[in-house]
Amino acid sequence: MSDRLSVLKTYKLYVGGKFPRSESGRVYEVTTATSAAAAAGKGKWLANAPLSSRKDARDAVVAARKAFGGWSGATAYNRGQILYRVAEMLEGRREQFAAEVADAEGLPKAKAAAQVDAAIDRWVWYAGWSDKVAQIAGSANPVAGPYFNLSSPEPTGVVAVLAPQESSFLGLVSVIAPAIVTGNTVVVVTSEKSPLPALSLGEVLATSDLPGGVVNVLSGRVNELGGPLAAHQDVNAIDLAGAAADAELVKALETAAADNLKRVLRPQAVDGVADWTADPGTERLLAFLETKTVWHPMGV
């Protein structure tokens, strides 16, 4: 038994509910991030992650747009149930994700497990908001006249998300969950140096009742994928969390996004680092919602 070779995992993208390799055929090495090894650039090899291309990004946007109608049309309660199901599935694979986070971020096992627990709890927290966010984002507006006026929130559409670089799992969940619980679909670019927890999350999403295309996961270079997603005419909003440490990149992506008036969520970070353990609040829930106002005559 001592001569047995381990079965190494092949990590793939998650696009449209399927697991393709990058159309380019490219991969890049992912290594552990321990304090000493990382400083010397000699981390232990973990896997080859797909190096997504611009074509992969375009395919992911197509999948997200195709899924948008059904997902945004689902009841808020149903979306909450599905997010809660994701948390259930993660709970069953807690040890796997704790090990991946420990390798990705160079954390002790206990701290990595705490990060995973917080991420699972965050799925549950956002799930609970699914049928309540309309109460804080909508209103019946006072008007002078024989009619009434109602405002209600609606999802923005397809959201490109640059996942946090420094928080491979908790930060990832913190940017995906609030976008999809309100009915948006997303294309997420994983942490460049620590993509494995995000790629494994795709496996959980595929078995958790979440329709294919609602979340699409790409691994690769933020500099390579961010620009095409920001400029894509069928992307309605972009979250720049993963570009927090690069002010020039943020500015370039904001400029590209202006071509079709995308909604841009700028990085909420201090010195390029955000505290993803903090109370998430409702800011990200409301960031990718539009307000629809209806005027209706009384007595009709």
Side-chain angles (χ1 to χ4, degrees), residues 22-165:
S22 170
E23 63 83 28
S24 68
R26 301 177 302 168
V27 297
Y28 69 102
E29 289 189 357
V30 179
T31 60
T32 56
T34 58
S35 56
K42 298 179 181 179
K44 177 185 176 183
W45 180 87
L46 293 173
N48 289 332
L51 186 58
S52 302
S53 67
R54 296 186 176 198
K55 175 63 165 55
D56 293 318
R58 292 195 297 270
D59 290 344
V61 173
V62 170
R65 177 58 64 189
K66 184 177 180 180
F68 176 71
W71 182 244
S72 61
T75 66
Y77 181 72
N78 180 239
R79 290 198 296 267
Q81 286 181 309
I82 291 174
L83 263 69
Y84 187 81
R85 177 63 175 163
V86 174
E88 289 181 338
M89 300 294 288
L90 285 172
E91 189 73 36
R93 298 176 63 169
R94 179 176 175 273
E95 291 187 6
Q96 173 201 339
F97 279 93
E100 289 187 342
V101 170
D103 286 338
E105 300 180 27
L107 297 175
K109 290 183 179 179
K111 288 188 176 180
Q115 291 279 311
V116 173
D117 289 345
I120 295 171
D121 293 346
R122 193 143 297 178
W123 277 111
V124 174
W125 192 84
Y126 279 117
W129 271 104
S130 63
D131 56 358
K132 302 175 184 64
V133 67
Q135 310 306 313
I136 64 169
S139 64
N141 307 310
V143 292
Y147 40 79
F148 60 88
N149 178 308
L150 300 175
S151 294
S152 59
E154 293 193 343
T156 297
V158 175
V159 180
V161 176
L162 306 184
Q165 296 297 314

Side-chain angles (χ1 to χ4, degrees), residues 156-250:
T156 297
V158 175
V159 180
V161 176
L162 306 184
Q165 296 297 314
E166 74 285 355
S167 183
S168 63
F169 194 59
L170 178 56
L172 174 80
V173 169
S174 298
V175 294
I176 292 178
I180 66 172
V181 73
T182 52
N184 298 291
T185 55
V186 304
V187 176
V188 58
V189 180
T190 70
S191 167
E192 185 174 325
K193 64 179 181 179
S194 308
L196 303 188
L199 296 175
S200 290
L201 178 64
E203 300 169 4
V204 173
L205 299 177
T207 55
S208 61
D209 304 327
L210 188 74
V214 173
V215 176
N216 304 275
V217 183
L218 304 175
S219 57
R221 312 297 187 201
V222 174
N223 287 337
E224 181 176 357
L225 300 175
L229 287 172
H232 199 296
Q233 296 298 297
D234 203 26
V235 172
N236 305 110
I238 186 167
D239 184 343
L240 301 179
D246 191 337
E248 290 187 5
L249 178 60
V250 169

Side-chain angles (χ1 to χ4, degrees), residues 220-280:
R221 312 297 187 201
V222 174
N223 287 337
E224 181 176 357
L225 300 175
L229 287 172
H232 199 296
Q233 296 298 297
D234 203 26
V235 172
N236 305 110
I238 186 167
D239 184 343
L240 301 179
D246 191 337
E248 290 187 5
L249 178 60
V250 169
K251 183 177 180 180
L253 296 179
E254 287 181 328
T255 301
D259 283 346
N260 72 331
L261 299 177
K262 287 182 181 64
R263 177 167 291 201
V264 176
L265 181 60
R266 295 172 178 81
Q268 306 297 312
V270 177
D271 296 328
V273 178
D275 181 9
W276 297 105
T277 63
D279 184 343

